């Protein structure tokens, strides 16, 4: 970049500058301009590297999270604790279905108290 500035100065500005017209303030202004251009270029490179690094880190973190999740779930699904929980849930479900089936069959054959003949009198007062 500094070389490009020197080439530009040599091609364009060298003819405008007469010998003896250079002062320290001119040299300092040119050097500060070059330094500011270099700092800007370095800042641009750092920004691009930061964006690229963030994308790379996010991709690696996603991959690692997926792998950890898969291995953890595989370990849990193959554990004895999970098998015991599944067996208990199946047993509870089968017991509930059997209980409901027995209650449905017995419900039709049992006379309920509210349909008994002694409770169908309308003249009777309410009793607790």
């Amino acid at each position: 970049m500094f070389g490009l500035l020197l080439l530009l100065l040599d091609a364009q500005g060298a003819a405008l500058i007469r010998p003896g017209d250079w002062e320290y303030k001119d040299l300092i202004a040119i050097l500060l301009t070059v330094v500011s251009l270099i700092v800007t270029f370095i800042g641009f490179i750092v920004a691009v590297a930061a964006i690229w690094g963030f994308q790379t880190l996010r991709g690696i973190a996603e991959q690692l999270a997926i792998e950890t999740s898969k291995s953890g779930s595989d370990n849990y699904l193959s554990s004895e604790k999970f098998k015991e929980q599944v067996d208990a849930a199946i047993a509870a479900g089968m017991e509930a279905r059997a209980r409901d089936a027995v209650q449905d069959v017995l419900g039709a054959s049992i006379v309920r108290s509210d349909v008994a003949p002694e409770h169908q009198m309308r003249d009777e007062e309410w009793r607790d």
Side-chain angles (χ1 to χ4, degrees):
M1 187 143 207
F2 184 70
L4 181 65
L5 186 62
L6 284 177
L7 286 174
L8 182 66
L9 183 64
D10 185 45
Q12 297 289 330
L16 297 175
I17 300 174
R18 287 173 278 169
D21 285 345
W22 277 87
E23 295 180 10
Y24 285 111
K25 60 183 177 183
D26 297 327
L27 180 64
I28 291 173
I30 291 173
L31 290 176
L32 285 176
T33 304
V34 170
V35 167
S36 66
L37 288 175
I38 290 173
V39 168
T40 303
F41 184 71
I42 289 173
F44 179 73
I45 290 174
V46 168
V48 169
I51 292 170
W52 176 74
F54 176 75
Q55 295 293 333
T56 303
L57 285 177
R58 188 173 71 177
I60 291 170
E62 285 176 358
Q63 266 185 338
L64 195 59
I66 290 170
E67 290 172 6
T68 304
S69 175
K70 284 182 181 180
S71 68
S73 61
D74 289 342
N75 290 340
Y76 179 70
L77 292 177
S78 64
S79 70
E80 289 298 320
K81 181 181 177 183
F82 176 73
K83 290 178 184 176
E84 290 173 2
Q85 287 177 346
V86 169
D87 290 341
I90 290 172
M94 289 176 65
E95 183 179 324
R97 289 187 99 188
R99 184 177 52 246
D100 291 343
V102 168
Q103 287 177 353
D104 289 344
V105 170
L106 291 178
S109 64
I110 296 175
V111 177
R112 297 189 323 240
S113 64
D114 59 346
V115 293
E118 63 267 6
H119 290 293
Q120 293 189 6
M121 290 187 196
R122 304 254 184 225
D123 300 329
E124 195 173 356
E125 289 185 24
W126 176 259
R127 291 182 281 154
D128 262 358

